[in-house]
Amino acid sequence: MPATTETAEPAVQTAEASAVEVAERHVRDQLEKLAASSPRPNESQMLKAMTAAGFAEDDIEVSADITPTGLAVDAIEAAAPVDEQCIIGQVREGEVAMSVLPVLPGGNCFVGNGS
């Protein structure tokens, strides 16, 4: 019996990354750079990282970096909407965590955001 060789064609991924996936990757990259240089960044550093990731300053929400009693927060978050989703990044002690959640009914990413 002659030997047969079957060649399986590799699966071709034709779908491009969604705008949300691309934005999440950009935010992660910028926040990881920030966390490496500043493990406990402040609001302005988070805002700068998010603008470097490609968001307009007016679209970015950043959590407070100081508690009402004047203490530094344990973690700081920033978020921006993309295609009805919120790209949310957090920096805590030099570690980055990411989430993608639906935009809230009022159009914001954070509950209680007055902007």
Side-chain angles (χ1 to χ4, degrees):
M1 208 187 314
T4 60
T5 57
E6 291 183 37
T7 58
E9 292 185 30
V12 178
Q13 188 173 12
T14 57
E16 293 183 23
S18 72
V20 171
E21 292 168 329
V22 170
E24 182 182 12
R25 211 170 26 244
H26 288 288
V27 170
R28 180 180 297 281
D29 290 345
Q30 290 302 318
L31 292 183
E32 285 177 350
K33 288 178 189 176
L34 175 59
S37 66
S38 182
R40 296 185 83 174
N42 61 33
E43 287 180 58
S44 65
Q45 290 171 308
M46 290 292 282
L47 183 62
K48 185 176 178 181
M50 293 293 284
T51 58
F55 293 100
E57 193 170 319
D58 290 343
D59 294 334
I60 301 166
E61 299 172 52
V62 180
S63 64
D65 55 7
I66 300 291
T67 68
T69 59
L71 301 173
V73 296
D74 293 333
I76 188 164
E77 296 181 340
V82 175
D83 292 345
E84 300 302 315
Q85 298 292 312
C86 289
I87 307 300
I88 303 170
Q90 178 190 84
V91 177
R92 176 187 298 269
E93 297 297 331
E95 296 294 322
V96 174
M98 299 292 302
S99 297
V100 177
L101 299 169
V103 172
L104 296 171
N108 291 331
C109 293
F110 292 161
V111 172
N113 187 337
S115 59

